[in-house]
Amino acid sequence: MPELPEVETVRRSLAPHLLGRTIAAATLRRDDFVTGARTPADLLQGATVERIERRGKQLAVIAASGRAVIVQLGMSGQVLAAPASSPLPTHVHALWTIRSSSTTILFRDPRRFGGLTTLRSPAQLEATWQHLGPDGLAITAAQLWSALHSSSRAIKAALLDQHTVAGIGNIYADEALFVAGIHPKALCHRLSHSRVERLAHSIRQVLTTAVAARGSTLRDYRDADGQAGSYANLHRVYGRAGLVCTVCGQTLRGFVLGQRTTVACSTCQAR
């Protein structure tokens, strides 16, 4: 599933195709793909795109009028800038034609876990995002400590909760915990303030590096220009169960935690 670095990369690659442009036509090909009103106007037809924002794993295309469309990529969603003259690929559920442009913006999602949410004001957007925790790129030690210090959950389960940190999924939870030297099964309320401070720093560091590498392409993920990310080449633990730790040389162990595949080093992340 695309996480914060992948969604931020999509946001940055989409900006040159949309910012300041007017949507000539918005076409919805699956009604069940949208939460909220489904009229062309609600899908930004006739609107000029003023900005594209991100909170955690969610992307919002915001018009000068204040209307917005939230894009959630889900497991396999892609937002692609494609030549208007090219045949539509499979599994395209919505598309936007840009005025005075040869580019069409496509939202395709083979597995259909993603979707769109239409909003009619900035206040609705803020209310929708209010339930999310601090964004992973900017989370502070104080914010993380406040969310964790009274919780009896395993730390990885807490990090996957978007109320705790917005934007972290399975990949970057494993990676950040490894960098911080914290075992995924460690209980939140048993972590000292200094370890939580180190974890907050590791989260920001891992996510920043992953954004610079344009995210991790494992299967479906591509940016708006169809380019893959390269951060998968830098994974220290995620997807490497049975291989040796890049730091200590011990064999990395894979296990299931909260129904999620997890990988850790029993030496570098001793409990």
Side-chain angles (χ1 to χ4, degrees):
M1 175 186 291
E3 302 178 27
L4 186 156
E6 292 75 47
V7 178
E8 175 63 17
T9 301
V10 170
R11 186 191 71 81
R12 295 182 183 188
S13 59
L14 194 58
H17 300 287
L18 276 182
L19 289 182
R21 304 293 185 92
T22 299
I23 308 295
T27 304
L28 182 63
R29 306 182 79 214
R30 288 189 65 97
D31 284 349
D32 62 355
F33 206 61
V34 176
T35 299
R38 298 172 176 84
T39 69
D42 286 294
L43 290 165
L44 305 186
Q45 180 169 303
T48 299
V49 177
E50 184 176 71
R51 61 193 193 277
I52 307 173
E53 295 185 358
R54 180 196 53 75
R55 185 79 63 87
K57 302 177 189 178
Q58 297 186 17
L59 196 67
V61 179
I62 305 167
S65 64
R67 290 180 184 266
V69 174
I70 292 178
V71 178
Q72 293 179 276
L73 298 178
M75 295 291 292
S76 60
Q78 298 173 332
V79 181
L80 301 171
S85 59
S86 63
L88 282 183
T90 58
H91 306 297
V92 171
H93 305 313
L95 60 151
W96 296 264
T97 302
I98 312 302
R99 184 175 298 167
S100 303
S101 172
S102 59
T103 298
T104 299
I105 305 301
L106 312 176
F107 188 5
R108 68 182 302 270
D109 185 6
R111 300 181 67 183
R112 292 188 292 177
F113 285 103
L116 305 173
T117 300
T118 59
L119 304 168
R120 294 184 171 177
S121 70
Q124 285 188 332
L125 176 61
E126 189 54 40
T128 301
W129 278 354
Q130 192 173 22
H131 72 282
L132 296 174
D135 192 77
L137 277 177
I139 192 166
T140 66
Q143 290 170 326
L144 193 57
W145 174 260
S146 177
L148 298 180
H149 78 278
S150 62
S151 173
S152 59
R153 292 186 292 180
I155 181 59
K156 181 175 178 180
L159 292 183
L160 295 178
D161 183 346
Q162 300 304 295
H163 293 84
T164 304
V165 188
I168 295 182
N170 214 30
I171 297 173
Y172 300 105
D174 277 4
E175 293 295 302
L177 288 168
F178 177 80
V179 172
I182 297 173
H183 196 278
K185 291 183 179 179
L187 301 182
C188 295
H189 68 275
R190 293 185 176 177
L191 295 175
S192 65
H193 195 282
S194 62
R195 297 188 81 195
V196 171
E197 185 173 18
R198 185 164 71 245
L199 178 57
H201 175 78
S202 297
I203 290 170
R204 296 192 305 269
Q205 176 189 352
V206 166
L207 293 177
T208 297
T209 304
V211 169
R214 304 179 63 78
S216 300
T217 294
L218 303 176
R219 186 176 175 180
D220 299 295
Y221 160 70
R222 297 290 187 277
D223 70 10
D225 297 311
Q227 301 300 309
S230 62
Y231 191 72
N233 298 325
L234 303 177
H235 288 175
R236 300 167 175 88
V237 287
Y238 181 82
R240 300 189 69 247
L243 301 178
V244 298
C245 174
T246 58
V247 173
C248 72
Q250 295 296 314
T251 300
L252 297 173
R253 188 169 71 89
F255 52 94
V256 176
L257 177 60
Q259 299 182 323
R260 304 300 295 271
T261 301
T262 301
V263 183
C265 175
S266 57
T267 300
C268 296
Q269 297 168 270
R271 293 182 67 182

